[in-house]
Amino acid sequence: MSDAFTAMREELLSRLCEATEVEHNLMCVYLYAAFSLKDGEAEGLSPAQADAVRRWRSAILGVAREEMAHLLVVSN
């Protein structure tokens, strides 16, 4: 292998490792946010608030799943 090819390969691997860290951190933040929300009327929410929180949690978990997919792609 040429020195230029080796340098490019090392740079690519470095950037992929960085991307993996970013995707993992983002996924953790979204999961923390989703599971930090109050959970229904038992935790003092009104029925309308509980319904809104369920929708928010669903949306946030959808984004977390996308981050997991991004992490998978970068890892592969």
Side-chain angles (χ1 to χ4, degrees):
M1 281 191 251
S2 72
D3 290 339
F5 179 78
T6 302
M8 288 174 52
R9 183 177 186 277
E10 291 301 317
E11 178 69 19
L12 175 61
L13 289 175
S14 175
R15 292 191 186 241
L16 285 172
C17 286
E18 186 177 336
T20 300
E21 291 174 14
V22 169
E23 295 298 342
H24 179 262
N25 288 332
L26 285 171
M27 179 187 64
C28 290
V29 169
Y30 284 114
L31 289 173
Y32 183 86
F35 292 109
S36 295
L37 296 171
K38 289 187 177 184
D39 194 21
E41 296 174 45
E43 293 190 13
L45 299 175
S46 70
Q49 290 171 328
D51 187 50
V53 169
R54 277 189 289 278
R55 289 192 312 270
W56 298 341
R57 182 177 289 113
S58 178
I60 293 169
L61 288 174
V63 175
R65 284 185 201 98
E66 289 176 13
E67 294 303 332
M68 288 179 202
H70 298 163
L71 179 60
L72 176 67
V73 168
V74 170
S75 296
N76 283 332

